[in-house]
Amino acid sequence: MIFGILKPYPSPLISGRGIDLDFAMLAGCLALLGLGLVMITSASSEVAAVQSGNPLYHMFRHLVYVFLGLLACGATMMVPIATWQRMGFMMLIGAFGLLVMVLVPGIGREVNGSMRWIGFSFFNVQPSEIAKVFVVIYLAGYLVRRQTEVRETWMGFFKPFIVLLPMAALLLMEPDFGATVVMMGAAAAMLFLGGVGLFRFSLMVVLAVAAVFILVQAQPYRMARLITFTDPWSDQFGSGYQLTQALIAFGRGEWLGVGLGNSVQKQFYLPEAHTDFVFSVLAEELGVVGSLVTIALFVFVTIRALYIGLWAEKAKQFFAAYMAFGLAFLWIGQFLINIGVNVGLLPTKGLTLPFLSYGGSSLVICCACVGLLLRIEWESRTHLGSEEHEFKESDFAEETSHGR
């Protein structure tokens, strides 16, 4: 019955050839999801056994999030990209609303000194994860509407920051410095791909570096983190404790690892072993080889996402192209920062690793982004996603073959 209702609105899940997906992209993301489930189970078993009496407690919760993520992926695949384009401004308002709500006492939930979550009975929602995607969708629409203005005038270049800077300020009030950097970085990359000249883009980079320097100087704990990560062993049992334990995990892993489930660092030595530092446990248990395979999977899905944007651009579906580029840069930013933190190349930040880290909001939003990318790829390949088409049965029989 449900498929009968949805039949007039074709999608990658309902077409003349049945399920018509970019299976390469889907396989890469499912592999990361599966690897994440395995590593969450391993990294959290000791903590879960002590805290709840059940070593599989976090695994079962993560399975629920995986299920919700797959539902979100399927739901976003059903919605035409043109619908997201129409809703861009409303989504921006919604993002502001969520970021304001999380700062309200009694609504926002404080964890480790940060107000980043809105608590419900069973799970917590992290508004910054939703806001980042909503900003990408809104900015993609802006780049389409104001394409000439963005490319040729200073005003077209600066207008997005009238929106981005207040949102960044709200994120910093939580505080969530990592999400701020990822969001602004993705926005900058989208503006560059939207045609902003090299001089104006270079000026933006200089201003961004200056802003980061000021923000680091403004809060003592940020400067402490910056100093500590350069030499964590100078305060091994203080501010450098988390990083030194992560580096010990990498050292113990060597080439092939100590074996799945045999990590020592997860046994209360490495804090947040199943969330922000799950990659360190992976490196300890699976070694250099497992780490490089994981990185290769991330590189594959992010490059595939960029290619999906390129294919949409060639099909002259510019909103879809900008949105795909933005989503890809969100993943790239989080991936680089999380891995950089784990190996000691960047100051410690509370930023999850896409698909792998334990965290409901992050995982569900990542899966929803996969659905958006699969929808973009399908629409650019079949040209059946535009609202201007009135679909008939013959449309399904005339779809082009999957040539990618």
Side-chain angles (χ1 to χ4, degrees):
M1 181 177 178
I2 295 176
F3 287 99
I5 295 173
L6 294 173
K7 193 171 183 180
Y9 308 98
S11 75
L13 298 177
I14 307 172
S15 69
R17 293 190 300 275
I19 298 178
D20 184 21
L21 298 171
D22 180 359
F23 286 103
M25 180 68 172
L26 182 63
C29 294
L30 289 178
L32 286 171
L33 278 175
L35 180 61
L37 179 61
V38 171
M39 293 314 305
I40 292 298
T41 304
S42 175
S44 67
S45 59
E46 301 295 332
V47 174
V50 171
Q51 293 181 347
S52 67
N54 180 6
L56 300 181
Y57 173 78
H58 290 299
M59 185 204 76
F60 290 134
R61 285 180 63 91
H62 193 73
L63 272 174
V64 172
Y65 295 137
V66 170
F67 176 72
L68 292 176
L70 293 176
L71 288 180
C73 179
T76 52
M77 273 193 282
M78 292 289 190
V79 181
I81 297 301
T83 302
W84 298 106
Q85 186 172 3
R86 286 199 312 269
M87 295 172 59
F89 183 74
M90 290 190 299
M91 297 177 83
L92 180 69
I93 298 300
F96 271 108
L98 287 170
L99 292 178
V100 170
M101 284 176 60
V102 77
L103 297 173
V104 177
I107 298 179
R109 182 187 175 194
E110 184 175 351
V111 178
N112 295 330
S114 298
M115 294 278 287
R116 300 181 187 176
W117 294 268
I118 297 177
F120 292 92
S121 58
F122 180 72
F123 60 95
N124 297 319
V125 173
Q126 191 169 359
S128 61
E129 296 291 338
I130 303 172
K132 287 184 293 188
V133 176
F134 284 5
V135 165
V136 165
I137 294 173
Y138 172 79
L139 190 55
Y142 174 82
L143 290 173
V144 171
R145 293 192 305 272
R146 306 287 184 178
Q147 189 174 58
T148 303
E149 190 178 352
V150 168
R151 293 179 177 180
E152 298 179 0
T153 68
W154 284 93
M155 185 55 68
F157 169 64
F158 281 117
K159 277 183 180 178
F161 293 97
I162 299 174
V163 171
L164 292 172
L165 291 178
M167 188 164 290
L170 289 171
L171 287 170
L172 291 173
M173 290 172 66
E174 296 183 6
D176 196 343
F177 189 67
T180 307
V181 171
V182 170
M183 183 189 73
M184 297 299 285
M190 291 175 69
L191 287 169
F192 182 72
L193 293 175
V196 170
L198 187 59
F199 174 73
R200 284 179 289 162
F201 183 77
S202 301
L203 177 62
M204 178 177 61
V205 171
V206 171
L207 292 174
V209 171
V212 170
F213 178 77
I214 293 171
L215 288 171
V216 169
Q217 293 283 346
Q219 293 291 340
Y221 80 91
R222 291 178 186 145
M223 179 56 70
R225 283 185 175 182
L226 188 61
I227 295 172
T228 300
F229 99 94
T230 59
D231 185 15
W233 304 100
S234 63
D235 190 12
Q236 181 180 353
F237 299 104
S239 57
Y241 178 78
Q242 199 167 25
L243 179 54
T244 55
Q245 295 303 315
L247 294 176
I248 290 171
F250 277 94
R252 293 192 73 252
E254 299 185 353
W255 286 101
L256 298 177
V258 297
L260 188 64
N262 294 329
S263 168
V264 171
Q265 294 306 106
K266 70 182 181 182
Q267 298 179 14
F268 303 97
Y269 291 103
L270 178 61
E272 310 295 340
H274 61 295
T275 55
D276 300 339
F277 282 84
V278 68
F279 189 76
S280 297
V281 177
L282 184 149
E284 183 183 1
E285 296 188 348
L286 304 183
V288 172
V289 174
S291 301
L292 291 178
V293 170
T294 303
I295 292 173
L297 280 172
F298 273 111
V299 171
F300 173 76
V301 298
T302 52
I303 290 178
R304 190 73 178 180
L306 292 172
Y307 266 105
I308 288 173
L310 182 61
W311 294 330
E313 189 175 32
K314 288 182 177 179
K316 299 190 182 303
Q317 298 177 2
F318 296 108
F319 171 79
Y322 292 135
M323 186 162 69
F325 291 142
L327 295 176
F329 282 114
L330 287 181
W331 285 355
I332 291 170
Q334 287 192 225
F335 166 70
L336 290 177
I337 291 175
N338 185 279
I339 299 295
V341 166
N342 275 252
V343 300
L345 293 177
L346 293 173
T348 303
K349 296 305 304 172
L351 204 62
T352 57
L353 186 60
F355 298 105
L356 259 70
S357 292
Y358 178 81
S361 296
S362 175
L363 185 65
V364 172
I365 293 299
C366 279
C367 291
C369 291
V370 174
L372 289 172
L373 289 166
L374 293 174
R375 177 80 195 196
I376 291 169
E377 188 277 336
W378 179 79
E379 288 195 10
S380 66
R381 173 165 46 85
T382 63
H383 300 283
L384 291 178
S386 174
E387 283 193 325
E388 285 77 18
H389 287 85
E390 183 176 348
F391 299 109
K392 302 175 183 178
E393 290 294 330
S394 59
D395 292 329
F396 298 96
E398 294 173 2
E399 291 178 15
T400 56
S401 61
H402 200 311
R404 296 173 184 164

